Amino acid sequence: MQKLKILNTHYVSHNVKRFVLEKPTDFEYSPGQSAHISINLPGWEDQIRPFTFTSLQHWDTLEFIIKIYEDHKGVTAQMGKLNTGAELLLHDVYGSIKYKGPGIFIAGGTGITPFIAIFRALFESGNLRNIALLYSNKTKDDVILHDELTKLLGPAYKNVFTREGVIGFRERRIDRKFLIETIGNFDSRFYVCGPQNFTEEICEALISLGADPEYLIV
Ligand SMILES: Cc1cc2nc3c(=O)[nH]c(=O)nc-3n(C[C@H](O)[C@H](O)[C@H](O)COP(=O)(O)OP(=O)(O)OC[C@H]3O[C@@H](n4cnc5c(N)ncnc54)[C@H](O)[C@@H]3O)c2cc1C
């Protein structure tokens, strides 16, 4: 277990907070991986939750982007109160989504976090080609790192809003009909990350439309 001091923290949207943490020496992880984290405060040390690195291995610091659920009164609500100088405990690093080659990325809410790390790494190595992102949120205000995603992916980045009418954006769920209209050809690799029901529903629709289950990365 590693104690990590918070070097900087601020809100990137109304309920999502970025944490920049000190990085232990010889610490290794790769894009798409997550860590089990708790807060180094009495009573919170054993309340362990998973979060995904949005920083890259060679950076001097670690970064997490975390949605704060005030109403759960759990770990993230407590994280909402933490400031520079407070400490988190990193228990272990484990594999989540791994990049396996170009494809279509479909994210719901904070499910974008592993993709952020993957896109940043691909951008740095000059390999961010043949990548498209469908990013679903309730409203425009819930989108995380919109400017960076626009810069990285340009027209290959599409927002979908389930609750808000905004001119120029698509307002609907990513369902079977949406996938048929938007993708057309399902002979591709798909990466899907979001709430469990979101991921299940989309994977089921993709397979029913001809996607190869071997080419689904969740
Ligand atoms: C592999 C993985 C990677 C992840 N990476 C990230 C990431 O990078 N960023 C990120 O933001 N999130 C990420 N998550 C999600 C994140 O782990 C959860 O949001 C977090 O665990 C929530 O912790 P919490 O203690 O605040 O709330 P919870 O553990 O969800 O809830 C605490 C308590 O609140 C109550 N509760 C639960 N749901 C509700 C509700 N709807 N209303 C009221 N009360 C409720 C329950 O009693 C529960 O025991 C990831 C999840 C996984 C599995």
Side-chain angles (χ1 to χ4, degrees):
M1 186 179 63
Q2 314 262 6
K3 261 188 211 172
L4 307 176
K5 191 162 273 171
I6 299 175
L7 301 175
N8 183 1
T9 179
H10 59 272
Y11 277 87
V12 294
S13 80
H14 65 105
N15 59 3
V16 175
K17 212 173 168 188
R18 183 201 303 257
F19 291 87
V20 178
L21 306 163
E22 64 187 1
K23 180 184 167 189
T25 37
D26 300 329
F27 185 72
E28 291 196 8
Y29 64 101
S30 50
Q33 280 198 303
S34 303
H36 284 116
I37 301 245
S38 63
I39 300 169
N40 193 21
L41 280 177
W44 289 98
E45 302 97 324
D46 298 330
Q47 299 287 317
I48 298 166
R49 301 288 188 274
F51 299 102
T52 311
F53 296 97
T54 49
S55 47
L56 300 181
Q57 164 72 31
H58 67 85
W59 290 14
D60 294 338
T61 52
L62 300 178
E63 182 192 78
F64 291 94
I65 293 182
I66 295 180
K67 182 166 172 182
I68 307 298
Y69 291 96
E70 288 294 348
D71 54 342
H72 293 200
K73 309 213 181 315
V75 173
T76 62
Q78 194 61 27
M79 283 175 153
K81 298 179 195 148
L82 299 181
N83 290 312
T84 303
E87 286 176 344
L88 299 182
L89 300 173
L90 190 147
H91 297 260
D92 64 350
V93 174
Y94 66 106
S96 318
I97 287 191
K98 256 207 182 87
Y99 182 69
K100 297 191 173 157
I104 299 172
F105 289 69
I106 305 177
T110 53
I112 193 71
T113 52
F115 299 165
I116 288 171
I118 289 170
F119 296 157
R120 284 173 169 175
L122 291 174
F123 177 74
E124 283 193 2
S125 63
N127 288 311
L128 200 54
R129 281 184 302 270
N130 299 319
I131 303 276
L133 169 66
L134 293 175
Y135 184 19
S136 175
N137 281 282
K138 285 189 190 121
T139 73
K140 169 166 103 342
D141 292 338
D142 297 314
V143 178
I144 301 169
L145 302 190
H146 179 71
D147 291 348
E148 181 174 348
L149 291 169
T150 305
K151 202 175 111 200
L152 289 174
L153 298 168
Y157 162 45
K158 298 209 178 355
N159 281 116
V160 186
F161 298 121
T162 50
R163 283 224 191 128
E164 189 180 53
V166 180
I167 294 167
F169 293 100
R170 304 197 66 155
E171 182 198 346
R172 54 189 290 194
R173 286 169 63 75
I174 301 183
D175 53 16
R176 204 169 183 281
K177 191 160 171 277
F178 177 95
L179 291 170
I180 294 169
E181 289 167 14
T182 315
I183 293 173
N185 176 10
F186 291 86
D187 190 15
S188 167
R189 194 178 277 107
F190 291 95
Y191 298 82
V192 186
C193 189
Q196 200 180 339
N197 57 345
F198 172 92
T199 305
E200 282 169 7
E201 210 177 295
I202 288 174
C203 286
E204 213 177 284
L206 287 170
I207 291 168
S208 79
L209 290 165
D212 182 345
E214 299 271 310
Y215 269 57
L216 282 186
I217 296 135
V218 292

